[in-house]
Amino acid sequence: MVDWNLAVATATRFVRPGPEVSRDEARAIVAELRRHAKSSEEHVRGFTRMAQPGAEGGAVSHDTPVLVVDRPGWIRANVAGFRAVLKPLLAKMEDRRSSTPGGAVLGAVGGKVTGVELGMLLSFLASRVLGQYETFAPASRDLPAGTQGGRLLLVAPNIVHVERELDVAPHDFRLWVCLHEETHRTQFSAVPWLRDHIEGEIQSFLSETDIDPGTLLERLREAAQSLAGAKPEGEEGEEGRSLVDVVQTPVQREILGRLTAVMSLLEGHADYVMDGVGPEVVPSVAEIREKFQKRRASGAGRLDQALRKLLGLDAKLRQYRDGERFVRSVVEEVGMDGFNRVWTSPNTLPTKQEIAKPADWVARVHRKADGAQ
């Protein structure tokens, strides 16, 4: 169904070059990002009060590696993650196709086409991601992962590009980014059930997918055409629909609502932590946040906005905003320890409605648990 090697080759070929830096400067940037990732552990642990159960002295025990990568490195890592997560869905689609006349030939051809289309999408994303905690990453010789899967990626050229674009202090910005990504690593290290819970929800979502392979291929082609500027200016159609929208059944919409809530929680928590820790260790945090928020909101023109809609990235931006508001409101009402009840079990995660109304989560989790009327 997907020629993954071709996807990597295509994405690597078309990804934009990173900012110009000397070899010595590149080495210094990589070394600094590694130092910041290490120092962020203590800052995040102290601020969030999150510890791995049974860890000595309340520490979070990390065995997930920190990888400072370039854009092609990010592409390779994400393709490996996609292969792992999508394997059940693609196997299901392959079974369907193989049962039709000429399915094997169509599958081989379709796999090449899909590989190219996916590669084009990855080439677009690879120049925009600053950092990423890969939750379901399989280990390989070139891309190590923790014993339970997972690795922390810091995309050095993108970090340098944005810090120059925003004209902010490089050392402060690099630490600020590391604080966000380290928060994600801490979330999964300190909450052992979280990874399996999210994976279960994703697999449930995919198992409900009954989309025709040709339809999915057409959606990928639409995205690639947008990326290449092939869609006529002003053409309407389904530009406002994301790839997620076209595969939803009623059951999937319920699952997606739960996934949206937990992702809003994780992203908002990371934003809250990076800004909460910031004033003590990042002198220019206020300036960085103000400029970064303006950059997030502005977009980069019609083409970029169309792709953001198609890929569902607009929804991700709302997750940062809504999730941070939820975390801040709950902490203000019940304190950090009270907020940390959110990590007790899947039942204490906020619903999509509670993300919008934090007081409802407090009423459900705190007041009922404490016997309040």
Side-chain angles (χ1 to χ4, degrees):
M1 287 301 301
V2 180
D3 187 328
W4 296 106
N5 292 332
L6 184 57
V8 172
T10 301
T12 302
R13 176 183 177 187
F14 286 100
V15 71
R16 297 174 183 175
E20 292 187 9
V21 295
S22 68
R23 183 170 296 182
D24 288 343
E25 186 179 6
R27 290 196 187 100
I29 292 168
V30 170
E32 182 176 20
L33 287 172
R34 291 187 183 282
R35 289 196 304 272
H36 285 331
K38 180 65 177 177
S39 66
S40 293
E41 292 184 36
E42 183 176 353
H43 296 314
V44 170
R45 184 172 67 245
F47 184 81
T48 64
R49 303 177 194 172
M50 294 178 70
Q52 184 172 357
E56 185 175 352
V60 173
S61 176
H62 287 316
D63 75 337
T64 51
V66 177
L67 306 181
V68 182
V69 298
D70 58 9
R71 290 170 179 175
W74 180 88
I75 290 167
R76 290 192 297 272
N78 275 264
V79 165
F82 287 156
R83 292 185 72 166
V85 172
L86 295 177
K87 187 175 180 179
L89 173 63
L90 295 178
K92 177 181 177 181
M93 295 171 71
E94 185 66 35
D95 287 343
R96 172 185 287 189
R97 170 159 280 178
S98 63
S99 65
T100 62
V105 174
L106 290 174
V109 174
K112 297 290 185 184
V113 174
T114 308
V116 171
E117 310 294 9
L118 179 59
M120 293 294 290
L121 295 179
L122 288 170
S123 72
F124 168 79
L125 295 172
S127 62
R128 285 158 173 76
V129 177
L130 301 181
Q132 174 185 2
Y133 183 79
E134 274 203 298
T135 314
F136 310 110
S140 67
R141 184 182 63 182
D142 299 326
L143 294 166
T147 55
Q148 300 299 317
R151 52 182 165 240
L152 182 62
L153 305 178
L154 297 170
V155 191
N158 295 351
I159 293 172
V160 172
H161 171 78
V162 174
E163 71 191 27
R164 291 179 178 179
E165 181 183 281
L166 298 181
D167 190 25
V168 293
H171 303 296
D172 286 3
F173 184 74
R174 294 166 194 174
L175 177 55
W176 189 68
V177 170
C178 287
L179 288 169
H180 182 103
E181 303 308 330
E182 176 57 36
T183 301
H184 287 317
R185 189 162 68 141
T186 296
Q187 289 164 348
F188 285 92
S189 297
V191 187
W193 54 264
L194 185 59
R195 179 188 183 277
D196 288 342
H197 172 71
I198 293 177
E199 183 177 25
E201 293 281 52
I202 291 173
Q203 293 306 326
S204 295
F205 181 90
L206 294 177
S207 70
E208 289 291 326
T209 299
D210 196 28
I211 188 171
D212 178 76
T215 303
L216 182 58
L217 179 59
E218 181 61 28
R219 300 308 175 195
L220 288 171
R221 184 171 294 111
E222 287 177 6
Q225 287 174 346
S226 295
L227 182 58
K231 196 166 187 177
E233 188 73 23
E235 180 178 320
E236 296 299 328
E238 297 183 342
E239 179 183 89
R241 301 179 69 185
S242 74
L243 289 173
V244 172
D245 292 331
V246 302
V247 298
Q248 286 186 52
T249 66
V251 173
Q252 282 179 308
R253 282 193 287 273
E254 293 182 12
I255 299 170
L256 188 62
R258 296 194 296 268
L259 279 170
T260 298
V262 72
M263 296 312 296
S264 295
L265 170 68
L266 298 179
E267 296 293 0
H269 184 234
D271 263 14
Y272 179 81
V273 171
M274 72 195 297
D275 288 344
V277 173
E280 294 186 8
V281 298
V282 183
S284 59
V285 64
E287 177 191 1
I288 290 173
R289 167 56 72 187
E290 180 181 2
K291 290 183 175 180
F292 194 76
Q293 289 287 57
K294 288 180 179 178
R295 181 181 184 273
R296 267 184 183 172
S298 66
R302 186 180 183 280
L303 173 60
D304 193 60
Q305 290 170 0
L307 272 170
R308 279 167 50 175
K309 286 183 179 180
L310 187 60
L311 297 173
L313 298 183
D314 280 353
K316 186 173 179 62
L317 296 179
R318 290 194 295 273
Q319 288 173 8
Y320 285 106
R321 182 190 65 231
D322 297 344
E324 192 277 338
R325 186 186 300 120
F326 170 84
V327 176
R328 176 164 34 84
S329 297
V330 172
V331 172
E332 287 175 355
E333 184 165 352
V334 298
M336 185 63 75
D337 290 336
F339 165 78
N340 281 339
R341 288 194 186 183
V342 79
W343 312 117
T344 304
S345 75
N347 292 330
T348 57
L349 291 173
T351 65
K352 190 175 180 180
Q353 291 72 28
E354 288 170 341
I355 287 288
K357 296 182 178 180
D360 290 354
W361 179 87
V362 173
R364 177 172 67 88
V365 173
H366 277 265
R367 292 169 188 161
K368 288 184 179 179
D370 296 339
Q373 300 298 319

